[in-house]
Each structure stands twice: as C-alpha cells, then as structure tokens.
Amino acid sequence: QVQLVESGGGLVQAGGALRLSCAASVRILSIAAMGWYRQAPGKQRELVATLTWNGLTNYPDSVKGRFTISRDAAKNTVYLQMNSLKSEDTGVYYCNADGYYPRGNLEVWGQGTLVTVSS
C-alpha cells in the first residue's frame, strides 16, 4: 500500500518562500505522475504542479515561474519549492500519486500540510 507523507508547511510572509516535501513509501519512479494540489478554505482542490515518471512538469498559470516541483529518486521524495508567495497561495497542500509506470491503477493522497501566507 502506497503512503505519502507531506511536510514543510507553515506560516510565511508574503514574498517569502517555503519548500514542501512528500515522502513516498514506494519507488517514485514506479509512479506515473506525482503531483501537488492545494485547497483554500471554501474552495475546490486545485492542481499546483505535476511531475511525470520521465521528468515532464506542468504548472497552472497562477504558480508558473514561482513554484518548482522536483524529486530525489534516491529518497523517494518529491518537493515543491514555492517562491514569491502570495496570500492567495494559502491553503492545505496535498501530495498525490497517480498511476503506476508503465501501467497500473493508483490514486493516493497524503494527509496534507497547511501553508499560510500573511500579507
């Protein structure tokens, strides 16, 4: 059973930076896509960044140029570097594992880590 554990959330001032970590209980290179999502109070969960098994990344316009998703395969850990944080980045950030590579069903979420950006 795949487990994901996030860490690194906290309180930061606008303009500051945080790095989130997501430690997986399996080889992350066996997972088709790892992603970060966030959910602000009263809003739906939204995509923040994805990283495929072969290294392709994807970001929505709202975070492009400020956030970077990366991985350390040796540690089975995915990171989200968040720079130039804004108050609208506040929310609970969730790590997600989607699918096995080359094939197989998988959909796992971490417990979430809270990021609060003060203006």
Side-chain angles (χ1 to χ4, degrees):
Q1 184 178 357
V2 178
Q3 292 183 323
L4 304 174
V5 179
E6 301 103 329
S7 61
L11 175 64
V12 63
Q13 287 189 333
L18 278 177
R19 190 178 78 158
L20 306 183
S21 299
C22 171
S25 60
V26 297
R27 290 179 64 249
I28 57 174
L29 293 182
S30 69
I31 298 173
M34 297 287 299
W36 286 96
Y37 292 72
R38 67 186 179 193
Q39 188 165 18
K43 294 188 177 182
Q44 289 188 328
R45 192 172 296 187
E46 62 177 358
L47 172 70
V48 175
T50 58
L51 174 63
T52 64
W53 66 272
N54 58 346
L56 298 178
T57 59
N58 182 53
Y59 307 92
D61 289 342
S62 58
V63 306
K64 197 172 292 183
R66 299 189 298 122
F67 290 11
T68 302
I69 188 170
S70 63
R71 66 190 173 198
D72 184 335
K75 296 182 179 180
N76 291 319
T77 299
V78 175
Y79 303 99
L80 183 68
Q81 178 67 44
M82 305 185 293
N83 299 328
S84 303
L85 283 162
K86 306 175 182 179
S87 57
E88 52 262 44
D89 295 319
T90 293
V92 179
Y93 283 69
Y94 297 91
C95 183
N96 171 264
D98 182 14
Y100 283 109
Y101 176 80
R103 65 183 61 85
N105 294 325
L106 178 70
E107 183 74 24
V108 177
W109 294 90
Q111 83 286 354
T113 185
L114 178 62
V115 173
T116 304
V117 183
S118 63
S119 56

